[in-house]
Amino acid sequence: MRTRLEVNPELVAVAARRVMQRCEELARVTATPGHIERVYLSPEHARVNRLAAEWMREIGMSTRQDAAGNQIGRLDPGSGTAPALMIGSHLDTVPDAGRFDGIVGVLMGLEVARLLRSIHPDEGAQSPFAFALEVVAFSDEEGTRFGKALLGSSAVAGTWNDEWWALTDADGVTLRQAFLEFGLDPARIGEAARRPDELVGYLEAHIEQGPELDRRDEALAVVSSIASARRFQLVVEGEARHAGGTPYDMRHDALLGASEAALAVERICRGEHHIIGTVGQLEAFPGAVNIVPGEARFSLDLRGEFDGERDRVWDAIALELDGIMGRRGLRWQSREVHDAAAVFCAPLLQDVIRAGIGSGSEPPPTIFSRAGHDAMALGAITDVGMLFLRNPDGISHHPDEAVSTADVAAGIRALAESILHLAAEPG
């Protein structure tokens, strides 16, 4: 295997500064002035795709927007039929987002392609390897507009579900209608799908959306797996009665039952290893100041490193809810709205990323991702690997989200080294 990337360190530093500058440029493409918000199939989506395509062509890539609205750049090794190593992440955001979640991974992929070409100048605008290099900017990782995450990468993985066409946004626009308004043809969605034999693998660089690297004072980590997740919408049914006239021994307060359930989720999950439960939404009905709530609705997001442990904890939560609601004279029901199995990064890709980080006397950290990523969808058709970058204080999905230029430079070098190691592997 190669030892270190044969390129001037100043080129890496310049690449990192360019990534940070372009993160700022993309942050100005937003639907809400003063905040960052770019959702699927919006004018902002079209604008960032055009920018990404321009930057891809700048380094000699052929470009295309696929049938799902993903923007893809490609360097071929001489023929257009070689399998591709795909590098990327996403350019869409949550409301009031930070500048780096997803975006830094796309821009790092472009800079890695540029650097790898620079150490093989005789290749011209071609890939310097036996495989093609593709950089992909996925279009809808977050699911902000239609409530379904990973739409862009699911299309590439060939796992598109036709039931999704009926999804609607807050304005009642269906996904099918939004496709047409964006200039895409719903009937051609299958053309976005890639076959396993078309891909060598998928690598994704991403800020860690938590504090582990920051607490360890480490810049980079190898990702071992992406958390399994289940999401539920729960309803608690009680009795709405007059707030002043109903004594406590006659109350069936649905909001208090839901509130106790939320505390139970925290208590149960805090007692587990690598299980995170979050109640992110809670509503009371009829919602008047002088009425005991007769109904409460809340969400539950449950994540874990392993599917079996996650499911065991859900069973424990359900049993606890039976007890809470029984004591309070309430009824409850749940509807599962999302179920994603854990995705494990390929051992070979973990190894090449570990070698790419390299150089220290101790091996780099290996951690699992509690957040979901496009790699989860790509794992259905190819091997996936992920590189995490330190995120100060671990804050994400928030304007204070951050990453340093120095860590981006380290990540660019590590990702480029990883690809060199992968290219040197026999077979």
Side-chain angles (χ1 to χ4, degrees), residues 64 101 167 176 267 328 330 355 357 389 399 410 412-413:
R64 65 187 177 91
D101 172 8
L167 294 171
R176 179 181 295 278
R267 172 172 48 80
R328 291 182 171 276
L330 303 168
I357 296 172
L389 284 73
I412 289 170
R413 178 180 283 277

Side-chain angles (χ1 to χ4, degrees), residues 136-389:
V136 57
F138 285 116
S139 54
D140 186 49
E141 192 260 12
E142 300 289 5
T144 299
R145 183 175 181 184
F146 294 101
K148 172 63 183 168
L150 305 177
L151 287 175
S153 48
S154 292
V156 171
T159 56
W160 188 272
N161 186 333
D162 283 340
E163 293 180 0
W164 298 343
W165 292 121
L167 294 171
T168 58
D169 66 10
D171 296 320
V173 177
T174 66
L175 180 56
R176 179 181 295 278
Q177 181 182 346
F179 254 65
L180 294 169
E181 292 175 353
F182 193 78
L184 297 173
D185 183 353
R188 301 181 65 178
I189 188 66
E191 296 177 14
R194 306 293 289 272
R195 300 188 312 272
D197 64 335
E198 293 180 305
L199 298 175
V200 172
Y202 172 71
L203 295 178
E204 182 168 356
H206 206 284
I207 60 167
E208 184 199 0
Q209 293 172 289
E212 189 166 346
L213 281 175
D214 195 37
R215 289 175 175 176
R216 292 184 182 209
D217 194 26
E218 296 274 4
L220 306 173
V222 181
V223 177
S224 59
S225 65
I226 304 169
S228 65
R230 294 177 73 179
R231 292 176 185 165
F232 301 87
Q233 294 292 334
L234 298 99
V235 178
V236 178
E237 298 174 350
E239 184 180 34
R241 296 183 63 153
H242 194 285
T246 307
Y248 281 108
D249 63 354
M250 294 181 64
R251 292 186 179 213
H252 302 287
D253 188 323
L255 177 58
L256 291 183
S259 300
E260 190 175 346
L263 291 170
V265 167
E266 180 191 40
R267 172 172 48 80
I268 291 169
C269 292
R270 283 178 71 102
E272 297 287 338
H273 181 63
H274 285 178
I275 298 287
I276 300 290
T278 302
V279 174
Q281 298 170 327
L282 177 58
E283 296 179 283
F285 300 90
V289 68
N290 58 351
I291 301 177
V292 175
E295 181 178 289
R297 302 173 192 170
F298 65 101
S299 64
L300 172 60
D301 180 297
L302 189 63
R303 304 179 189 227
E305 187 172 9
F306 302 106
D307 299 348
E309 291 301 296
R310 173 205 64 182
D311 294 343
R312 177 184 58 78
V313 171
W314 164 245
D315 290 342
I317 290 171
L319 185 63
E320 184 72 11
L321 264 59
D322 283 340
I324 292 168
M325 306 311 166
R327 289 193 304 273
R328 291 182 171 276
L330 303 168
R331 299 175 302 280
W332 75 281
Q333 57 183 307
S334 67
R335 178 172 63 92
E336 188 167 17
V337 295
H338 177 71
D339 183 3
V343 172
F344 292 86
C345 295
L348 173 60
L349 296 185
Q350 290 189 55
D351 286 346
V352 298
I353 292 171
R354 191 172 291 112
I357 296 172
S359 81
S361 58
E362 296 293 327
T366 300
I367 60 180
F368 94 97
S369 173
R370 292 169 170 83
H373 303 285
D374 288 301
M376 298 181 77
L378 270 292
I381 56 168
T382 194
D383 287 346
V384 300
M386 287 195 69
L387 170 74
F388 268 174
L389 284 73

